[in-house]
Amino acid sequence: MHVIELHNVWKTYPLGKTRVHALRGLSLEVKQGEFLAIQGPSGSGKSTAMNIIGCLDTPTKGTVLLQGKNVHSFTESGLAQVRGRTIGFVFQKFNLIDTLTALENVMLPMVFQGVVEQERVSRATELLSVLGLSDRMEHKPSQLSGGQQQRVAIARSLVMNPPMLLCDEPTGNLDSKTGAEVMHLLHELNDEGRTIVLVTHEDSLARTADRIVRIRDGRQSNGDK
Amino acid sequence: MRELAKIGLWNIVRRKKRALLTVLGIFIGIAAVVALVSIGQGLQQSVQDQFSKVGGDKILVQAKEFGVGGVAAAGKLGVRELDVIQHVIGVGEAAGGLALSGKTRFNDVQRTVFVAMLPVKSSEANLLTTFTTWEADKGRLLRSGERGKVVIGATLSSGNVFLKDISLRNTIVVNDVGFDVVGILTRTGDPTTDSSVILSEPDARAVLNSSDVYSYIVAQAVGDPDVVSHRVERALRRDRHQKEGNEDFSVQTSTELIASFNTVLNIIQVIFVGIAAISLLVGGVGIMNTMFTAVLERTREIGVMKAIGATNSSILFVFMLESGILGLLGGVAGVLVGAGIGMLVEQVVNYAYGAGTIHAVFPVWLVIGAVLFAGVIGILSGLLPALRASRLSPVEALREE
């Protein structure tokens, strides 16, 4: 079973009196354990594809199967719950909650899943230590460097032990050295068996993946690497 | 849920100035309510205390036109009326009282004060003493028929009126006749009594040059006061050949008296609390406005939380908690300051009119109720913004810069 499958997915947005087709029949699947890059220039429909793959949005037409289940069969809250368990998000702008400490940020997904406090603390502490942030746990995001913030975000994405990480330009706001470190970390996680989906416009980053899906004008432009 | 609660709390701390301004409306409203109700309750309680001293079996008869002191009115009460009332079945005892103005001089200062009198007959004197709640704070009360002596009200004894304290054994002049002070009354809270001089009936009649009029007549009912009060009314009507509804006198039981006083007090309280409620409403709108702003500012944060698994109800909880806390903060501050204002008013009034005039009371229901009410206003005001936040689509929210 694939982690996620898109079958002939269309996404249409109304724009004034006309309609914009962000996706025009996109089909792809994410296989268990692979490192998949979704590459496309801005305006290609890449972000829309990411939203659909991340189950943040539902298609106008077509089917999305999350671990074999149609996402349309979930309620909004039900989907949020499943999303929280199945997909770990890593964003370009880190998107940490700036009022919470690093530790609390990592604990937050577990709050939404109803994990008891004791376990929340131990799991978050362990992950942050593994990622080399044991001395930064009580720091607020504003007190952390970009690379540190992204590592906290990665810890947050891993804390529910989801089968898939969805990374949207994870190095976009980092200098090249730190960016390389983050990419290295993602590959390590992939080596440990985690499925990684990397959404990027940079060809050089995409080339490090096992497989590249190139998106142009809302559909896949070529096959596997 | 602690992390969620912390998100809400932290946002208040982070925007201290805004939070402060936001809760101002609630704060003012609650402070006003607490101050007013505490004083209103204090007044009501002192009226209740007074009532229990007077007793529920008293019936008060007054001339209608001028109320107390209306001896010149058409419906004046005199010895004849007292006699009629004394013979009504169910009336145990009846006594006439005076509250007329007289010129009083002490320390070369002349003031117009109320002149009251104590009847000669001791049973009548006792009834009137109970009804007026005269009690000697210093010295003693008059003995029935005692001449040349005076008992004065608490306000007169303090230096405020005659620019010098009046003590026992001082002499004061009432309408050019000198009297020795033998007693000073305990403060009653009733301004008429507190600025009265009490003479024995013959002395009072002499200085006031009034032979047989009364300002009011008090009767003590044996049995149901309402029934007796109707009988008194009927007897006076027959004696005066008046039709029902056209009487020139009024008859009230002490229960009716306190009820009408409480009604007035309640109306005043309701009006003022109503005005304070406007402030609460404005305060609620202020909280709503702040929360809408917060939702706009934190749209991206909401998107992130939804992406990592927050359900709509989790988001709703964060924002409702935040607005609820804003309300509670306003409530707590309002109760504290309102209590302060209540006590300050108590101090000022008691300084101006003598100790024990009013007493601000803070019942537990007022304190807890005011805080909870403020919290509820906060939660209700936060409802719409929180709903908007919870219904944001994660995609739209994450796109926000």
Side-chain angles (χ1 to χ4, degrees):
Chain A
M1 190 177 60
H2 296 309
V3 184
I4 192 152
E5 292 171 53
L6 275 63
H7 293 295
N8 190 26
V9 164
W10 288 70
K11 186 70 190 182
T12 311
Y13 296 106
L15 186 78
K17 281 177 185 158
T18 61
R19 290 165 164 272
V20 173
H21 300 288
L23 292 180
R24 305 158 181 262
L26 179 69
S27 293
L28 62 81
E29 71 289 313
V30 177
K31 294 176 191 127
Q32 190 76 50
E34 74 171 334
F35 196 124
L36 172 69
I38 293 176
Q39 194 273 336
S42 63
S44 61
K46 174 189 53 167
S47 296
T48 310
M50 192 212 86
N51 289 336
I52 302 266
I53 293 169
C55 299
L56 295 169
D57 208 351
T58 49
T60 314
K61 216 167 72 184
T63 348
V64 177
L65 301 179
L66 178 63
Q67 294 190 312
K69 282 187 85 175
N70 194 326
V71 292
H72 277 296
S73 67
F74 293 106
T75 60
E76 202 183 328
S77 287
L79 189 59
Q81 289 268 304
V82 173
R83 185 167 59 226
R85 284 197 299 269
T86 318
I87 306 167
F89 286 89
V90 179
F91 301 96
Q92 177 176 358
K93 289 179 181 163
F94 325 133
N95 282 343
L96 298 172
I97 308 294
D98 52 11
T99 42
L100 299 182
T101 63
L103 184 67
E104 286 163 342
N105 263 292
V106 177
M107 283 159 67
L108 198 56
M110 294 188 278
V111 174
F112 299 133
Q113 297 294 334
V115 177
V116 294
E117 168 148 16
Q118 205 184 348
E119 201 185 334
R120 293 207 296 265
V121 176
S122 69
R123 268 157 72 175
T125 310
E126 194 192 324
L127 261 174
L128 283 168
S129 306
V130 169
L131 292 171
L133 291 163
S134 40
D135 55 341
R136 293 285 183 272
M137 295 200 216
E138 296 307 320
H139 287 57
K140 294 277 172 63
S142 57
Q143 299 165 310
L144 298 173
S145 72
Q148 288 170 335
Q149 287 191 56
Q150 195 60 302
R151 272 185 287 158
V152 173
I154 290 171
R156 180 178 68 183
S157 73
L158 288 170
V159 80
M160 281 313 296
N161 198 21
M164 175 172 88
L165 288 198
L166 181 54
C167 312
D168 179 20
E169 305 278 9
T171 61
N173 274 31
L174 301 174
D175 60 64
S176 54
K177 183 171 169 283
T178 321
E181 280 169 17
V182 166
M183 282 307 293
H184 183 71
L185 177 58
L186 292 178
H187 277 284
E188 271 182 3
L189 289 167
N190 180 240
D191 292 343
E192 289 163 16
R194 191 91 47 184
T195 312
I196 310 273
V197 175
L198 172 72
V199 180
T200 182
H201 69 280
E202 272 184 71
D203 206 45
S204 60
L205 282 183
R207 282 177 193 284
T208 67
D210 302 338
R211 190 161 68 96
I212 304 178
V213 169
R214 294 185 195 279
I215 295 183
R216 301 287 184 276
D217 300 322
R219 50 173 87 89
Q220 200 167 330
S221 74
N222 72 333
D224 296 358
K225 181 173 165 182
Chain B
M1 283 290 134
R2 226 183 54 189
E3 283 80 3
L4 291 189
K6 214 182 146 185
I7 293 174
L9 274 174
W10 258 105
N11 282 306
I12 295 174
V13 176
R14 186 170 57 165
R15 302 228 179 264
K16 284 189 207 74
K17 223 177 265 175
R18 182 197 289 174
L20 219 67
L21 291 172
T22 301
V23 301
L24 204 62
I26 299 280
F27 160 74
I28 292 171
I30 292 289
V33 168
V34 168
L36 289 165
V37 172
S38 72
I39 290 170
Q41 287 294 312
L43 281 175
Q44 216 140 13
Q45 195 169 319
S46 64
V47 169
Q48 202 63 46
D49 292 348
Q50 197 89 346
F51 174 70
S52 55
K53 276 188 209 160
V54 170
D57 58 350
K58 305 296 185 293
I59 294 164
L60 177 67
V61 183
Q62 286 169 282
K64 224 174 204 172
E65 272 75 2
F66 288 89
V68 173
V71 286
K76 69 171 186 168
L77 302 167
V79 177
R80 178 187 168 96
E81 284 74 19
L82 181 59
D83 187 58
V84 169
I85 293 167
Q86 274 170 337
H87 284 92
V88 170
I89 295 164
V91 170
E93 183 58 85
L98 275 186
L100 293 176
S101 55
K103 291 190 180 70
T104 300
R105 192 147 27 88
F106 177 73
N107 187 35
D108 286 331
V109 178
Q110 181 168 297
R111 293 276 184 262
T112 300
V113 304
F114 288 104
V115 178
M117 68 170 197
L118 189 73
V120 174
K121 203 172 147 194
S122 69
S123 59
E124 290 180 20
N126 287 340
L127 174 58
L128 204 71
T129 304
T130 311
F131 182 75
T132 50
T133 69
W134 288 334
E135 263 171 45
D137 179 34
K138 291 180 196 130
R140 57 172 174 87
L141 293 178
L142 290 181
R143 304 194 179 94
S144 347
E146 190 175 23
R147 305 292 300 261
K149 308 280 193 244
V150 66
V151 171
I152 62 169
T155 305
L156 298 186
S157 79
S158 69
N160 293 348
V161 180
F162 292 101
L163 311 179
K164 191 179 156 190
D165 289 4
I166 302 181
S167 314
L168 297 179
R169 287 179 296 277
N170 284 156
T171 299
I172 63 169
V173 175
V174 182
N175 284 0
D176 302 323
V177 184
F179 293 92
D180 294 335
V181 177
V182 294
I184 293 158
L185 293 181
T186 309
R187 182 169 293 281
T188 62
D190 167 23
T192 312
T193 305
D194 291 341
S195 46
S196 287
V197 295
I198 306 167
L199 303 173
S200 74
E201 182 162 3
D203 282 345
R205 297 256 180 245
V207 298
L208 291 170
N209 203 10
S210 102
S211 52
D212 80 327
V213 289
Y214 295 116
S215 303
Y216 58 90
I217 294 170
V218 187
Q220 182 170 21
V222 181
D224 186 349
D226 288 325
V227 175
V228 178
S229 136
H230 278 113
R231 280 195 208 129
V232 168
E233 210 175 315
R234 218 179 305 132
L236 281 175
R237 216 161 34 220
R238 202 181 313 128
D239 183 64
R240 305 184 148 211
H241 308 291
Q242 287 173 344
K243 287 214 169 65
E244 194 167 353
N246 290 324
E247 301 94 340
D248 56 4
F249 60 92
S250 73
V251 181
Q252 282 172 295
T253 64
S254 38
T255 313
E256 287 165 348
L257 277 173
I258 189 174
S260 61
F261 187 83
N262 275 339
T263 306
V264 172
L265 208 58
N266 280 334
I267 290 171
I268 293 172
Q269 281 194 68
V270 165
I271 289 172
F272 279 104
V273 170
I275 293 169
I278 295 172
S279 170
L280 289 176
L281 185 76
V282 173
V285 173
I287 289 186
M288 199 184 289
N289 185 37
T290 293
M291 292 312 295
F292 271 125
T293 310
V295 171
L296 279 183
E297 284 175 348
R298 278 146 60 194
T299 299
R300 196 177 174 82
E301 183 179 308
I302 295 163
V304 173
M305 289 206 283
K306 284 198 152 186
I308 65 173
T311 55
N312 290 5
S313 49
S314 305
I315 304 288
L316 196 72
F317 173 79
V318 170
F319 281 86
M320 298 274 277
L321 182 90
E322 193 173 327
S323 67
I325 287 172
L326 282 176
L328 280 181
L329 285 177
V332 170
V335 165
L336 292 177
V337 172
I341 294 172
M343 287 188 274
L344 189 73
V345 170
E346 177 189 310
Q347 294 290 316
V348 169
V349 170
N350 289 349
Y351 178 76
Y353 296 98
T357 307
I358 58 165
H359 196 71
V361 293
F362 304 97
V364 179
W365 61 259
L366 176 64
V367 173
I368 293 178
V371 172
L372 285 185
F373 187 63
V376 169
I377 290 178
I379 288 172
L380 288 181
S381 310
L383 188 63
L384 280 179
L387 274 175
R388 174 181 286 186
S390 75
R391 286 174 185 162
L392 282 174
S393 112
V395 176
E396 304 277 325
L398 277 170
R399 197 178 295 149
E400 204 66 37
E401 284 309 307

